[in-house]
Amino acid sequence: MSANGKPDTIILVHGFWVTPRSWEHWISRYEARGYRVIAPAYPGFEVEVEALNQDPTPIEQVTVPQIIARLEEIVKSLDTLPILMGHSAGGVFVQRLLDKGLGAVGVAMNSAPTEGVLVAPFSQLKSTFPVLKNPSNRHKAVGFTHEQWHYAFTNTFSEADSRAMYERYHVPASGAIFWDSVLANVTPGHQETWVDYHNDARPPLLFISGGEDNLMPPAVQRSNAKHYKSNTVTEVKEFEGFAHLLPAQKGWEQIADYALDWAIQHARTSPVRAV
């Protein structure tokens, strides 16, 4: 923990269809501000983007409990509680960790919904159709074509920038995890994306929403935030003109700075170890 009692470590959690490489600009920016930055990969995702595209077996095999266990292990290895930031599915994992008390503060960017969030705008359905159109995809790693990627991730980018981001960041996503998250709302009992919306001990949470996000539109972020009934800080900040891949969109610096400044302001300062 820094001299002012605030966290000195930031954990960046990537989402589906990308790897920790998608945080490359944020890592450099936060390190330049003196923070230790950790951008963990899902189990099996430790290889490069090109390797995962060539052999997506690790994507087919990974599970949500494995991902959560990996993130918990990292947080618990730290002397003090870190700032948690997650993008897309990473936003769900950040919410899960906060619900367990594993973080000083959290930021969920263009987050996938946790269990019970039923809002599903048309653009979201269209974005996810390549996965949901065939039940057999539950047993596969499902990638996007560039056209599908452009609609879901980079609809505000130029054609050239969108294709460059596709080639640099895109990997397939787990059809099993995606299908399970959709079915969670009709499956009895708590599923893997469930959080306790009434948990008063949960650290503060900020939802950041890209105003032009087709995959996880602002309505999803607002609905997710409204589900929280706990007596702790839960806020939503929308950035107009940003698509789903906001960590790599031109102008990302303003979002990175806003997210960190908000987190520093709201972080819990207790020096308790994450155990």
Side-chain angles (χ1 to χ4, degrees):
M1 183 166 291
S2 61
N4 62 5
K6 296 294 186 178
D8 57 10
T9 301
I10 302 170
I11 295 179
L12 302 173
V13 186
H14 68 90
F16 291 168
W17 286 288
V18 295
T19 72
R21 184 187 287 181
S22 61
W23 291 115
E24 57 187 343
H25 304 305
W26 293 54
I27 294 171
S28 298
R29 192 170 187 85
Y30 287 161
E31 287 179 341
R33 290 185 60 170
Y35 287 88
R36 177 190 182 190
V37 183
I38 304 171
Y42 300 163
F45 284 56
E46 297 85 359
V47 298
E48 295 293 345
V49 166
E50 294 77 10
L52 280 174
N53 279 310
Q54 185 174 2
D55 179 12
T57 302
I59 299 174
E60 297 173 353
Q61 296 176 342
V62 74
T63 66
V64 170
Q66 290 173 346
I67 295 171
I68 295 297
R70 167 68 60 82
L71 297 173
E72 284 189 16
E73 180 183 8
I74 293 171
V75 175
K76 291 178 179 179
S77 72
L78 303 174
D79 292 333
T80 55
L81 298 174
I83 295 170
L84 303 176
M85 297 187 184
H87 173 244
S88 197
V92 172
F93 303 142
V94 163
Q95 292 181 67
R96 286 286 311 276
L97 292 175
L98 293 178
D99 193 34
K100 296 171 177 283
L102 296 174
V105 64
V107 180
M109 307 174 201
N110 286 345
S111 180
T114 45
E115 184 177 333
V117 179
L118 302 178
V119 173
F122 173 77
S123 68
Q124 184 184 41
L125 298 176
K126 181 177 178 179
S127 296
T128 56
F129 183 70
V131 182
L132 301 178
K133 67 179 180 180
N134 189 340
S136 68
N137 285 339
R138 291 190 69 177
H139 310 289
K140 301 177 181 177
V142 185
F144 282 146
T145 65
H146 173 254
E147 290 70 24
Q148 293 165 342
W149 163 271
H150 182 72
Y151 182 82
F153 272 70
T154 56
N155 52 297
T156 61
F157 291 45
S158 68
E159 174 71 16
D161 287 346
S162 175
R163 191 167 293 277
M165 296 299 101
Y166 179 75
E167 293 175 355
R168 179 150 184 80
Y169 297 133
H170 171 267
V171 296
S174 167
I177 294 178
F178 204 91
W179 268 90
D180 287 348
S181 68
V182 172
L183 297 174
N185 290 320
V186 296
T187 303
H190 298 322
Q191 306 303 307
E192 294 169 344
T193 58
W194 179 85
V195 296
D196 180 2
Y197 293 119
H198 298 271
N199 181 5
D200 290 334
R202 193 214 72 209
L205 171 62
L206 170 67
F207 286 90
I208 287 182
S209 177
E212 304 303 320
D213 184 357
N214 283 333
L215 182 57
M216 298 297 168
V220 175
Q221 311 308 308
R222 293 193 296 266
S223 179
N224 202 154
K226 288 180 179 178
H227 273 69
Y228 281 100
K229 308 300 182 183
S230 53
N231 294 319
T232 188
V233 176
T234 307
E235 296 183 4
V236 181
K237 172 66 175 180
E238 183 173 331
F239 285 86
E240 293 294 338
F242 279 85
H244 187 69
L245 193 63
L246 57 78
Q249 183 171 341
K250 292 179 179 178
W252 62 268
E253 296 90 344
Q254 64 171 309
I255 300 178
D257 291 347
Y258 183 94
L260 181 54
D261 291 343
W262 189 96
I264 294 170
Q265 178 183 355
H266 293 86
R268 296 183 174 176
T269 56
S270 172
V272 175
R273 280 182 63 89
V275 295

